[in-house]
């Protein structure tokens, strides 16, 4: 398992898919995970430090863990099968819970917990970040994260998504 940084969410221009990007800085590889618009909004809002008037699902889960005295020690991205990423929530009481990668990442952002990714997945799905243009894109993306709002992830009126079509992480 290798530590990865959550760069944030981005909509791919060529195919309009939304991805969360994880960065293995030691290997200069980015791992894109296709996620749904709701999950993208949950991750982006937490990274931007935006609060909602009422707790969202990931906020509620964070609060429930705190109320029962259990912490999220880390998130492990453990498998990639058929384009779907599988994750585990590793809790302070030793319990490992199966999770969608997008939900696990949204919770990790809210709790400040580290995210680790299987080295095999990094090698298989990682995209090399080596040239200046790509590094500049990462910097633009980080700047975007600093200024993103939930409305940035809403589609055109009446054009909602259907939950990722089976490829949601």
């Amino acid at each position: 398992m290798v530590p990865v940084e959550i760069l944030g969410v981005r909509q791919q221009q060529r195919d309009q898919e939304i991805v969360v990007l994880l960065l293995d800085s030691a290997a200069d590889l980015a791992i894109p995970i296709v996620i749904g618009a709701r999950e993208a909004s949950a991750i982006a809002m937490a990274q931007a430090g935006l609060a909602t008037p009422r707790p969202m699902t990931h906020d509620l889960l964070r609060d429930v863990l705190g109320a029962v005295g259990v912490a999220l020690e880390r998130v492990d991205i453990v498998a990639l099968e058929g384009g779907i990423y599988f994750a585990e929530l590793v809790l302070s009481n030793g319990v490992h819970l199966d999770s969608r990668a997008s939900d696990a990442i949204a919770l990790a952002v809210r709790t400040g917990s580290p995210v680790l990714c299987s080295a095999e997945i990094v090698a298989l799905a990682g995209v090399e970040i080596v040239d200046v243009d790509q590094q500049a894109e990462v910097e633009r993306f980080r700047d975007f994260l600093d200024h993103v709002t939930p409305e940035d992830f809403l589609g055109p009126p009446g054009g909602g998504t259907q939950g990722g079509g089976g490829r949601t992480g």
Side-chain angles (χ1 to χ4, degrees):
M1 299 297 280
V2 297
V4 292
E5 176 186 350
I6 304 165
L7 291 178
V9 293
R10 173 175 193 194
Q11 187 165 13
Q12 301 285 19
Q13 296 203 8
R14 67 181 178 279
D15 53 17
Q16 300 301 307
E17 287 184 322
I18 300 173
V19 297
V20 60
L21 291 174
L22 305 178
L23 176 65
D24 175 358
S25 58
D28 285 328
L29 294 173
I31 302 94
I33 300 176
V34 177
I35 62 175
R38 287 187 177 103
E39 294 82 3
S41 180
I43 293 167
M45 286 179 63
Q47 283 192 308
L50 300 175
T52 57
R54 301 286 299 143
M56 301 301 287
T57 304
H58 302 101
D59 301 315
L60 178 62
L61 182 53
R62 175 202 58 210
D63 295 346
V64 167
L65 288 172
V68 297
V70 176
L72 177 62
E73 283 192 358
R74 70 179 188 273
V75 165
D76 291 343
I77 309 294
V78 296
L80 172 60
E81 297 174 16
I84 299 171
Y85 289 82
F86 293 80
E88 288 183 351
L89 304 176
V90 180
L91 305 179
S92 61
N93 62 2
V95 172
H96 291 229
L97 297 171
D98 182 35
S99 176
R100 295 186 322 160
S102 57
D103 289 329
I105 292 166
L107 186 58
V109 171
R110 282 166 172 74
T111 60
S113 303
V115 177
L116 303 175
C117 189
S118 157
E120 182 178 288
I121 293 172
V122 172
L124 180 67
V127 178
E128 195 170 6
I129 300 179
V130 291
D131 71 340
V132 174
D133 290 339
Q134 288 174 325
Q135 289 174 346
E137 178 67 19
V138 169
E139 289 306 313
R140 285 192 298 274
F141 184 58
R142 286 183 177 158
D143 182 59
F144 164 77
L145 288 176
D146 290 340
H147 302 94
V148 69
T149 66
E151 291 77 23
D152 292 331
F153 296 98
L154 298 176
T161 64
Q162 296 201 9
R167 290 192 51 192
T168 299

